[in-house]
Amino acid sequence: MSLKPLTPEQQAVVTHTRGHARVRAVAGSGKTTTLVERVLYLLQQGVAARRLLVVMYNRAAREDFSSKLQQQALARGLQGPLPDVRTFHSLGHRLTATLVRWGYLKPRRLQQEEWMQDSFSRQALKTLAERQGEAVQPWLEEDALDAFKSFCTRVKSGLKPAAEVAEDLELPRNQKHLVAAFDELETLLEQQQAMFFDDLLWRPLQVISQHPELKQRLQGFLDYLVVDEYQDINAVQQALLVTLAGEAQVMVVGDVDQCIYEWRGARPDYMLHRFQQDFNSVVDYPLSCSFRFGHWLALVANQVIQHNRERPPQLTLARDLQATSIQQGQGAAWLLDRLQQWQVAHPGKTAAVLVRSWSQSLAVQLELLKAHQPFQLARQEHFIFNRPQIQGLLAYVRLALNSAPGRRINYQHPAARQDFYQLLSFPTLYLTEVERQALVEARAQNSARLEAVLEALPPGKRKRLQRRLQLLQSLARRAEQMAPRAFLDQVLRETDALEQIKKTAASKEAADESLRLLAGLQRYAQQSPKKLADWLQELEAAQQEGSAHLAASKDKKQVSIQTVHAAKGLEWDWVGVYGLNEGDFPYNSGFSRLTPAEEEAERRLFYVAITRSREALVLAEGDAGGQVSRFLQEAALKDAHWLIKALRDEETAAVGQETSVAYPELIRHYWQQVSDRPVPPLTQASKEPPQAASPRLQETSGLQPGDRVSHQTFGEGELLRAEGDYPSRLLDIRFDQAGLKRLKEERAPLSRLQGA
């Protein structure tokens, strides 16, 4: 007997017979249960287990599927072996071993540790820099190294040469070396007979593309091939499936609306079109009923995702009248209040806060720390106090306070040495690691030794470092009287940190993340009425408490903070989504206009975020304010809530009482799918009149760095710098309350303050 009764849609998938099958499974539709039933059905029909292969996207999914398959087979008394259940990487491992045995590939050792990948990558970059006469240190910074590793992953997700991939990605000027660095890394890996996980598929598929006759030797072993999470497929994985399938019947299961791993090479096109191109005679099956959430959330998800063009016309339907509540508000404090209320009323339930990018989590982490509420993070480096930008600024605070008049720092103490190292690192002084370590050691000895090391530096580096040390002396004289925000502003201004970050970041996105993180700390400092020393003490206590919680054993009752990308495939009883403002979610760098494809990708990400919730969804705008996310407007929460009341209460949907909604056709279609009652009269809500055009500046603008300006949303602030030509200049403005913003001049409602 099945674990639970199957729906007619699930039953149709289980008993599919002829041709290939494409199963479109919405979030929470029970696809794992359906696939287990499909495999058991095939075994009961006499299919040999060795002729059936199941491919899952990652190890956790494979283990979960295998466990459920074994349980159900045992419960039904099925004898004999079960089919192979593998991940793409394990398939690649077996295929690599086969091609080595056949003499097409040379054996290599798989390097599984990330630090080994970092080590090989650094060595390749260093070798290339020395050969080209370039300074190696900027290429070895954390963001630059991550960008190189990401580029290598992108190359090995397909079969194109690295140069073509770089051209497709339109790499910025400071990443033009990545193609040559990729070749250097490949040479190094060959010399060392080493490989990474990405090579498990990329190397054998490179060989197969050069030797088409290999396909015949690899095919003919399967009658059935089942592939889960097909929307996340990339070019090299698709090529593997085509190679292995041969004449086998292929069934793929996925959801185009949850295709969010474009950086790994995934694209909606594979499920929408490519599958049918590579495998003829495809039968489509929907799994449209979600067992995870209720009608309110289901309709909200539909109302948002319908704006995407790259998707099939499929609705997500909830079952029965399962309740999922939705709230909307602003700020991390408001979000935490809703979380605490939920936890009191629902002890033992799971909860998560999702953010579009890690910089947005700063406000959430600080709010939880202030409330002494433990939380979980997937990786320690995502803890805000482990971020190099935050470490750098707090090092300035400690050094300034501890070297105030009448005080003296013991630079031999490990904490003081680390702070001095941060002073030398943030923002960059273009020192090598050897130079930084020499300066730290000299500072620990005495001032004379430090001066000697300074004199040995090249003139440019010596001058920059002397200015940095003079800034520390200046800050030390005033630190005890300074407010936290004023201190941070002075450090960022006098070190030209924002400009240095933009110049040295590995990518525009990495620079944007750093700038947003700094702006978040500035906003937090602005809210504090405390003096600098007390503010620092508060943060250090929060850091110690947070570090202790994160180091302790994982407790599922603790709220989890995750990015939406990491949350895919997971679910919680309570889900908060923070930072729902234009520019943050959807995310765009420098307030540039999103392309249609970028907007659809961001909308899919929002769809994934909200469909992680089972019982409660809380949608929160960020603390900085600004324009509300277009996705909240598209969600039409009130219309979806009206549907719930109408389904439960016939008087709410009484015939003759017309209801004005944003999407009458969609609601009408949804109603017909979930209710036997007549559809209530619905009319198209009149669209809101377009907002009045933003006040334009004079033709020549007249705004110059240093001017005080006023913005309708962000209030008053100072124009720091302007890039480009009017009217398309990009303006960096530090607002008194909203922090640092980058605005496009022709779209920004700015006015110059008189007498400023």
Side-chain angles (χ1 to χ4, degrees), residues 317-443:
L317 305 173
R319 65 181 180 91
D320 304 326
L321 290 176
Q322 177 180 339
T324 304
S325 64
I326 305 179
Q327 293 177 287
Q328 179 183 344
Q330 180 181 3
W334 176 85
L335 185 70
L336 175 59
D337 181 66
R338 296 305 177 274
L339 170 62
Q340 291 174 332
Q341 290 181 25
W342 165 265
Q343 291 175 323
V344 170
H346 304 84
K349 296 280 189 174
T350 58
V353 176
L354 307 183
V355 291
R356 170 61 181 83
S357 59
W358 277 114
S359 62
Q360 292 176 313
S361 76
L362 180 140
V364 176
Q365 291 189 45
L366 287 174
E367 203 63 44
L368 288 167
L369 289 168
K370 190 164 60 174
H372 306 290
Q373 177 149 350
F375 55 86
Q376 295 181 30
L377 296 170
R379 298 167 66 176
Q380 287 284 342
E381 59 260 38
H382 295 150
F383 187 39
I384 54 170
F385 293 105
N386 292 339
R387 303 300 294 271
Q389 300 86 354
I390 305 299
Q391 289 178 333
L393 282 179
L394 295 185
Y396 280 90
V397 178
R398 277 188 292 268
L399 290 172
L401 288 170
N402 292 329
S403 55
R407 299 184 184 182
R408 185 176 179 180
I409 299 177
N410 176 16
Y411 280 103
Q412 293 182 344
H413 191 281
R417 291 166 67 97
Q418 179 61 26
D419 282 343
F420 190 68
Y421 181 89
Q422 292 293 337
L423 182 82
L424 302 176
S425 306
F426 178 80
T428 182
L429 290 167
Y430 301 96
L431 300 170
T432 67
E433 182 62 21
V434 172
E435 289 169 337
R436 278 195 293 245
Q437 293 294 347
L439 287 162
V440 170
E441 292 298 328
R443 174 71 277 189

